[in-house]
Amino acid sequence: MWSFSPLSMSLLIGSSVAVPFLSGSGRYGTATNTQATLDETNIKWQPAMSTKGVPFEIGVKSYRDTVHHSCETTANPKGDFGLVVNWPFDKNDDWKSTRNDVQDTAAITRYSLYSSSSPIYDYVLEITNMVDYNYRFYDQTGDSYQINTYEEGDHLVRYNSEKPKVVFITGS
C-alpha cells in the first residue's frame, strides 16, 4: 500500500511535471478509435468512495464494446508501483497515449480526462489497461479514486474535484 505524507503530496501537487506523450500507436498496439466518447448505454456504473470520503462512480464498458490491444512488452507489469504522471483535464475527449514507463510498469496504454455528461459528476477519467490491477488515481487535491480492474480493456471513473488533473497513480 502506498502512503503519502502531507509534504510528499504537496510536492506532487505543487510540482509541474513535463511529460512527453507518444503519438500514434502505443507500445501495446494501436487504438481503433481516437476519442473516448462516452456511450452510457453500455456502461455499468458502481458507486464508490474516495480516500477523502467523496462519492464517485466506477464504470466498466460491456466486453463487446471494449477496445483491446495486443501486448508487445517483455516487462513484468504485475508488481506494485507508484508513478508520477501529468494527465490534465482536456475539453475534448481525445485519447492520449501514455509514456513508455507507464505502459511498461502500470500496463495503461492510454487515457482521457474530460467533462462528464452526468448531472452529478464533473469529470470522467477513462483508461485502457493490459493487465488486471487494483489502481488508485490521485488528483491535485490529494484525493484518490480506486479502480480494481478484473479484465483488460477500458475502465472509467466519474468524479468531482476542485483540481481534477491526475498527478500520481499506484497499482497492486
Side-chain angles (χ1 to χ4, degrees):
M1 177 59 77
W2 294 90
S3 62
F4 302 98
S5 69
L7 175 62
S8 65
M9 282 309 294
S10 68
L11 290 173
L12 276 175
I13 295 166
S15 298
S16 174
V17 180
V19 180
F21 290 104
L22 299 173
S23 61
S25 66
R27 290 173 49 100
Y28 288 98
T30 304
T32 58
N33 59 340
T34 59
Q35 291 189 320
T37 303
L38 193 57
D39 176 7
E40 302 218 15
T41 58
N42 294 324
I43 296 174
K44 294 179 182 164
W45 293 102
Q46 298 176 342
M49 197 69 65
S50 74
T51 54
K52 290 187 175 183
V54 179
F56 73 97
E57 290 183 329
I58 300 166
V60 178
K61 289 184 177 181
S62 68
Y63 184 78
R64 70 183 191 288
D65 297 325
T66 301
V67 176
H68 293 275
H69 303 264
S70 60
C71 185
E72 298 173 2
T73 185
T74 58
N76 179 8
K78 194 54 184 173
D80 291 357
F81 68 86
L83 291 170
V84 174
V85 295
N86 180 19
W87 295 357
F89 165 75
D90 193 349
K91 289 182 182 178
N92 61 41
D93 58 1
D94 290 342
W95 284 106
K96 291 141 193 85
S97 295
T98 58
R99 303 182 320 240
N100 288 349
D101 65 324
V102 174
Q103 292 182 24
D104 291 342
T105 304
I108 297 174
T109 59
R110 63 186 185 164
Y111 78 94
S112 186
L113 177 56
Y114 52 92
S115 292
S116 174
S117 61
S118 164
I120 299 170
Y121 298 100
D122 295 331
Y123 304 101
V124 174
L125 171 64
E126 189 166 359
I127 64 157
T128 301
N129 70 316
M130 294 303 303
V131 175
D132 62 324
Y133 261 111
N134 186 8
Y135 293 107
R136 192 171 289 275
F137 299 90
Y138 292 81
D139 67 16
Q140 285 182 292
T141 69
D143 206 355
S144 68
Y145 314 93
Q146 181 179 3
I147 307 174
N148 192 355
T149 63
Y150 52 87
E151 66 180 27
E152 65 183 48
D154 296 338
H155 302 272
L156 304 95
V157 176
R158 288 196 298 203
Y159 65 104
N160 293 319
S161 176
E162 293 295 319
K163 296 182 178 181
K165 179 167 82 169
V166 176
V167 295
F168 197 75
I169 57 175
T170 63
S172 57

